[in-house]
Amino acid sequence: MISKTLQLSNHRVHYLEVGQGEPLILIHGVGMQASAWYPQIEYFSKHYHVIALDMPGHGQSSCLPEQATLQDFVNWTIDVIQALGLGAVNLAGHSMGSLITAGVAASAPQLVKRIAVLNGVYKRTSEAKQAVQARAAELRQGVIDIQAPLQRWFGNTESDQSACEKVKTWLSEVNLQGYATAYTAFAHGDDTYADSWSSIHCPALVLTGEQDLNSTAEMTYRMAEQAEKGQAVVIPDERHMVNLTAPNLVNQAMQNWLHTPA
């Protein structure tokens, strides 16, 4: 696996690259970094050209302006895909990365062969909106609570706790400004591309964990049923970081998705 940097205008983009074959680009969620896809990088790099991006303000990628919206993150991703010069790619995102993925598919369909949306959100309830926007406001004031998301995301199983330790490290290393900017865009962005699902015509995997209380099974079914080639997968007994806690099941679902004719 090679660590690479791409310079886009005044933005530094860092990513991990490994493997050969059809391109598969991975976009992590808020507070994470490219390495948060490690089970998928290891599995898919045997047969695919895997590129895991550090989202703006995360890992080694430079920040977007503090007032950046979800659309700015989508435009950043479009610029990166075009700069990589790989043609149409398979694009997968987790959490905020899934909002970005859907936004790219809606805005620049010529750049995507297939999309996978893992633990995505769709038209939050008023109560959920208030909760996530309150957390965003706290981050903008410099208040970061690492334990709260860990408690939401992980149970007490051995696989959960092993993944939890890795995620705890990534959250403790995140750039606070980059985290706050991305989280604010995430908190206010669930409606931005929500009405565009019917315009997504490529194969679309929409996956979540049954016990993910924020990226719910209901949201997953609603997104998938609107896409022309949408498929919903809900993994029993799993929460928000399902790609880490149930990697075999997620990898199998993604493998089936990648075998779907584009």
Side-chain angles (χ1 to χ4, degrees), residues 236-252:
D237 304 320
E238 295 295 335
R239 300 190 190 184
H240 192 63
M241 302 301 293
V242 65
N243 70 301
L244 302 182
T245 57
N248 293 339
L249 294 174
V250 171
N251 291 348
Q252 186 58 61

Side-chain angles (χ1 to χ4, degrees), residues 14 29 41 61 63-64 91 96 99 112 115 131 150 174-175 185 218 242:
H14 176 260
I41 294 171
S61 290
C63 297
L64 292 181
L91 185 63
M96 179 174 176
L99 285 178
V112 294
I115 63 166
L150 296 179
V174 74
N175 176 299
E218 180 187 1
V242 65

